[in-house]
């Protein structure tokens, strides 16, 4: 049973230290969220799982970490200055401002009126100023990146030449992006500051781009499966031309059932786009338009590729799987949410996270916190496990309460140290999902847990 709605996760996330409303001591900041002790672990585990899967386990992908603020010309030639717009309308009655494409039935979501201004474009790149300059100096204008992708494109040649790569190969990057969203909301689903995991996969112009989109869709469906997402809660959306970004010839969105309680339950989790050779051409000094004029007189580089076997020079085409860290985390929390009733008729929340993603892998709980030998043994076990997996020691409640707390945050194993442990050098290992318990020798504990913590099978890369 996944979470019945996002509000259930908002409440759990705040109660248990995953996500807090940002700047709360000053009344908050619209749709900004801070990740708490458990939230940062969950995000890090998602990002690490993604990086391991693409950059380490495949042989055809490199990683980079580019600047968040790039030369403004990057955004001019990428097309974002001209086209990265939302269409805005104002309600003449209540003065509310909304995205035109999100208005249902022509009615104002605040006051119900239907008296609108004309729609006008609003560029959603967040602006800033670089250096100690006058407020109105146009040369100081800079943007916080709205996608991590451009940092990859402008480094294409650097990576290709230093790493001696031949097509096809990919470049992955994970990091913050910013968009001045007109209507952010739904918790961490749509925010102005968020994190992306993007990969640009460079291929020949004659490759089978259409089917390569399907290839990456399949790879990601399997990857989401390896994180524990139920396939029934994912849905593929073939994005029609009028909804696609200016650079895309085909985009398939993987949607997640974020709103199970609504008639329209789906919202985008990630997109897989065929970006053609648009970006590498746009940033290149040699590319000419139909009239023979340079399309980019500002660039000092040519991001073309010389293909040795065919002796041809061309701009590679790009397949781009672009996922959001925050939306992945939200989907994972919703999918992992479950409730179970214990013998006393009390309902308990169990977050059935894939073990690799769980913020804490093992909680070491002493059965008698007043008994120095038991406490000492429990703390020693915690310290011995820590180098191999994230473990915590907790003695702040009775054992039933401690189990319930760990279930609620998704800890796969609770290790109980009791009086018997002092005699037989063994502990009780309790499984989060089945509540079954087994007795394990302390000397075998690390190996036992490591075996059981193995992630669900990760997709093996097929050659392209
Ligand atoms: N480089 C292509 C690109 O940025 P996108 O579909 O605009 O494509 C990719 O963004 C992913 O980034 C989305 O599928 C979503 O997961 C995440 N994302 C985009 N805007 C977001 C926002 N305002 N808040 C949270 N996540 C967002």
């Amino acid at each position: 049973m996944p979470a019945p709605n996002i509000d259930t996760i908002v409440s759990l996330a705040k109660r248990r230290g995953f996500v807090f409303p940002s700047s709360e001591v000053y009344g908050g900041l619209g749709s900004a969220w801070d990740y708490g002790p458990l939230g940062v672990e969950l995000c890090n585990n998602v990002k690490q799982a993604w990086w391991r899967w693409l950059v380490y386990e495949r042989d055809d992908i490199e990683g980079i970490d580019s600047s968040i603020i790039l030369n403004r010309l990057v955004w001019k030639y990428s097309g974002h200055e001209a086209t990265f717009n939302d269409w805005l309308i104002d309600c003449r009655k209540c003065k509310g401002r909304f995205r035109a494409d999100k208005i249902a039935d022509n009615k104002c979501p605040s006051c119900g009126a239907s008296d609108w201004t004309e729609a006008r474009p609003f560029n959603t790149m967040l602006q800033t100023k670089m250096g100690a300059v006058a407020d109105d100096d146009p040369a100081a204008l800079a943007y916080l990146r709205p996608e991590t992708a451009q940092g990859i494109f402008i480094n294409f040649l650097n990576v290709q030449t230093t790493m001696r790569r031949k097509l096809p190969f990919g470049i992955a990057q994970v990091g913050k992006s910013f968009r001045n969203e007109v209507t952010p909301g739904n918790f961490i689903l749509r925010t102005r500051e968020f994190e992306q995991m993007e990969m640009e996969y460079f291929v020949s112009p004659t490759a089978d781009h259409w089917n390569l989109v399907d290839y990456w869709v399949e790879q990601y469906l399997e990857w989401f499966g390896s994180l524990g997402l139920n396939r029934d809660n994912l849905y593929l959306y073939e994005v029609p031309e009028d909804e696609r970004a200016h650079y895309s010839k085909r985009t398939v969105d993987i949607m997640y059932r974020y709103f199970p309680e609504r008639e329209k339950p789906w919202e985008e989790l990630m997109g897989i786009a065929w970006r053609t050779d648009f970006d590498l051409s746009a940033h290149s000094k040699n590319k000419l338009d139909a009239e023979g004029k340079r399309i980019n007189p500002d660039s000092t580089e040519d991001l073309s590729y010389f293909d040795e076997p065919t002796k041809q020079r061309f701009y590679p085409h790009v397949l781009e799987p672009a996922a959001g860290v925050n939306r992945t985390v939200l989907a994972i929390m919703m999918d992992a949410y479950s409730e179970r009733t214990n013998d006393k008729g009390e309902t308990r929340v169990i977050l059935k996270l894939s073990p690799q993603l769980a913020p804490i892998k093992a909680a070491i709980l002493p059965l008698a916190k007043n008994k120095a030998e038991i406490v000492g043994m429990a703390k020693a076990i915690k310290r011995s496990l820590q180098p191999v997996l994230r473990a915590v020691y907790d003695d702040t409640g009775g054992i039933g309460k401690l189990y319930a707390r760990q279930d609620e945050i998704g800890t796969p194993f609770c290790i109980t140290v009791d009086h018997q442990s002092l005699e037989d050098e063994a502990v009780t290992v309790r499984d989060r999902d089945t509540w079954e318990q087994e007795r394990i020798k302390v000397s075998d504990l690390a190996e036992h847990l490591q075996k059981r913590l193995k992630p669900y099978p990760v997709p093996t890369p097929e050659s392209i």
Side-chain angles (χ1 to χ4, degrees), residues 227-242:
L227 301 184
L229 285 193
N230 184 341
R231 180 67 181 82
D232 293 344
N233 291 328
L234 297 171
Y235 159 79
L236 299 181
Y237 177 60
E238 182 78 45
V239 181
E241 192 178 352
D242 60 340

Side-chain angles (χ1 to χ4, degrees), residues 26 93 124 297 380 400-401:
Y26 291 109
K93 185 161 174 226
T124 55
K401 202 166 252 171

Side-chain angles (χ1 to χ4, degrees), residues 41-341:
E41 297 290 343
L42 180 53
C43 288
N44 284 345
N45 291 344
V46 166
K47 289 184 276 185
Q48 277 165 18
W50 180 77
W51 195 264
R52 270 200 312 271
W53 169 53
L54 285 185
V55 181
Y56 297 169
E57 283 164 28
R58 295 184 65 107
D59 298 321
D60 55 354
I61 296 178
E62 304 281 356
I64 63 159
D65 184 19
S66 72
S67 300
I68 285 177
I69 300 177
L70 303 172
N71 189 313
R72 185 182 159 189
L73 291 170
V74 171
W75 306 108
K76 173 178 171 182
Y77 288 103
S78 69
H80 284 78
E81 273 195 337
T83 66
F84 202 61
N85 298 322
D86 276 347
W87 288 85
L88 273 191
I89 46 172
D90 292 302
C91 171
R92 287 206 175 90
K93 185 161 174 226
C94 71
K95 310 292 176 215
R97 184 161 287 176
F98 303 93
R99 258 176 72 174
D101 60 330
K102 297 282 172 189
I103 299 298
D105 311 331
N106 201 31
K107 282 206 169 58
C108 172
S110 296
C111 71
S114 300
D115 189 7
W116 298 107
T117 60
E118 281 296 304
R120 62 195 182 285
F122 169 75
N123 194 288
T124 55
M125 279 196 292
L126 263 175
Q127 299 185 354
T128 188
K129 294 231 154 62
M130 291 280 275
V133 289
D135 272 354
D136 54 359
D137 181 353
L141 175 64
Y143 301 106
L144 305 186
R145 66 182 177 199
E147 61 170 9
T148 63
Q150 294 302 325
I152 296 179
F153 295 127
I154 57 173
N155 278 294
F156 166 74
L157 263 194
N158 289 335
V159 176
Q160 189 255 316
T161 52
T162 54
M163 307 312 283
R164 299 171 175 277
R165 282 289 183 178
K166 304 234 176 310
L167 295 187
F169 76 96
I171 305 177
Q173 164 154 246
V174 53
K176 291 266 172 130
S177 290
F178 302 81
R179 292 181 192 177
N180 205 358
E181 297 281 358
V182 181
T183 42
N186 291 313
F187 191 37
I188 54 175
L189 188 73
R190 180 166 285 103
T191 49
R192 296 192 172 106
E193 173 178 344
F194 56 97
E195 218 168 353
Q196 291 184 308
M197 302 178 280
E198 297 199 290
M199 198 273 288
E200 310 302 320
Y201 198 77
F202 301 96
V203 299
S204 151
T206 56
D208 186 352
H209 308 114
W210 196 270
N211 282 323
L212 282 170
V213 172
D214 294 329
Y215 166 85
W216 282 110
V217 168
E218 281 308 313
Q219 291 289 297
Y220 268 76
L221 286 176
E222 280 192 52
W223 184 65
F224 286 128
S226 80
L227 301 184
L229 285 193
N230 184 341
R231 180 67 181 82
D232 293 344
N233 291 328
L234 297 171
Y235 159 79
L236 299 181
Y237 177 60
E238 182 78 45
V239 181
E241 192 178 352
D242 60 340
E243 289 176 25
R244 288 201 297 264
H246 57 282
Y247 48 71
S248 170
K249 272 219 174 132
R250 185 184 180 203
T251 299
V252 175
D253 284 346
I254 301 183
M255 318 283 275
Y256 179 76
R257 198 192 297 274
Y258 288 107
F259 304 102
E261 77 287 14
R262 294 190 190 167
E263 203 180 308
K264 291 183 180 162
W266 308 103
E267 180 57 81
E268 178 185 331
L269 165 60
M270 71 168 299
I272 291 115
W274 167 24
R275 283 184 83 131
T276 68
D277 60 356
F278 176 86
D279 300 273
L280 290 183
S281 307
H283 292 305
S284 288
K285 64 176 185 179
N286 292 346
K287 175 80 178 177
L288 305 177
D289 65 15
E291 279 132 41
K293 277 210 319 243
R294 284 171 67 188
I295 62 168
N296 188 334
D298 292 309
S299 170
T300 59
E301 290 283 349
D302 194 62
L303 304 179
S304 60
Y305 171 86
F306 184 72
D307 188 52
E308 204 49 66
T310 59
K311 307 281 183 233
Q312 303 245 317
R313 181 168 284 284
F314 52 74
Y315 297 101
H317 278 230
V318 170
L319 285 308
E320 175 194 68
V325 174
N326 320 77
R327 289 191 189 185
T328 304
V329 163
L330 180 56
I332 281 166
M333 289 187 78
M334 291 189 74
D335 239 62
Y337 184 92
S338 68
E339 291 177 1
R340 181 169 170 177
T341 307

Side-chain angles (χ1 to χ4, degrees), residues 379-397:
K379 287 186 173 169
I381 291 174
K382 187 265 164 193
R383 279 195 302 276
S384 73
L385 287 179
Q386 190 52 61
V388 274
L389 50 91
R390 175 83 205 284
V392 294
Y393 168 88
D394 192 3
D395 64 7
T396 59

